[in-house]
Amino acid sequence: MFLYLLIFMAYFGCRRIPRSQRIKFQLVNVMFTALVLGPQLYVLTRPESSRYCKQPLLNNLSASIVLSCIAVGFSVVFTLLEPVPLSVWRCYYMFGLLSFGHALGTVIITSTAAPCAKTTPELYYISLVLTVASVVSTVFLVVKCGLWLINRLDEDNAQEAAPP
């Protein structure tokens, strides 16, 4: 869910900036991309990451890198297109479901991989960081969706209560 939240923030952050200054935002977007992908690629290339670990942390990291690359593509498309086509939005929501599934898998794998901290420390700690980021972003999105639903229901109730 962390990657889904990054795309969400890129889209809504970009819409608050005038079109003439969005190139600066694109540069900030590239920096966030480097901050997200850089550590993952670094850990993937470390020789210690290929050591044996009972849990599939390396496979999970590979999936996270693939999802990160997809998220980079979405964030670029969302900041360049105005308006964003409905088909792209649908793909983004499907990516959100995939991201949620990956986050859930990351939490489960990392919670049972404490012994891997000795054999593959970098891999374990990057998995731990991804787990914390996923949990925090999931909580944020659940609260945001809950507030959106409450607001939507209040608007519907206000329209029903209004005299014709």
Side-chain angles (χ1 to χ4, degrees):
M1 292 303 292
F2 172 66
L3 300 170
Y4 184 80
L5 181 65
L6 285 179
I7 300 167
F8 176 83
M9 290 171 44
Y11 175 74
F12 287 103
C14 179
R15 295 302 184 249
R16 305 219 186 292
I17 298 172
R19 279 187 174 203
S20 62
Q21 296 180 359
R22 286 193 185 166
I23 190 71
K24 295 175 187 175
F25 188 80
Q26 286 293 335
L27 295 174
V28 171
N29 199 12
V30 167
M31 287 190 304
F32 274 117
T33 300
L35 285 175
V36 170
L37 270 174
Q40 293 180 55
L41 290 172
Y42 174 75
V43 169
L44 184 68
T45 59
R46 301 286 301 156
E48 292 86 11
S49 296
S50 63
R51 289 185 189 159
Y52 176 74
C53 177
K54 190 174 182 178
Q55 295 300 324
L57 293 177
L58 189 61
N59 296 342
N60 189 45
L61 180 64
S62 300
S64 180
I65 290 172
V66 169
L67 289 175
S68 296
C69 291
I70 294 170
V72 168
F74 271 120
S75 65
V76 169
V77 167
F78 278 179
T79 55
L80 290 178
L81 293 180
E82 193 170 328
V84 178
L86 185 60
S87 60
V88 176
W89 279 109
R90 288 181 180 150
C91 290
Y92 170 65
Y93 295 136
M94 294 303 293
F95 175 78
L97 289 174
L98 187 64
S99 181
F100 178 73
H102 180 261
L104 189 61
T106 300
V107 169
I108 291 169
I109 289 170
T110 305
S111 66
T112 59
C116 296
K118 293 179 182 142
T119 58
T120 56
E122 293 99 353
L123 193 57
Y124 176 73
Y125 289 119
I126 193 81
S127 185
L128 200 59
V129 167
L130 291 172
T131 298
V132 170
S134 295
V135 169
V136 168
S137 58
T138 301
V139 168
F140 172 78
L141 288 170
V142 165
V143 169
K144 182 148 182 65
C145 286
L147 292 174
W148 177 81
L149 264 171
I150 290 170
N151 189 22
R152 187 75 171 182
L153 291 174
D154 284 345
E155 287 176 4
D156 289 343
N157 289 338
Q159 287 177 355
E160 289 176 4

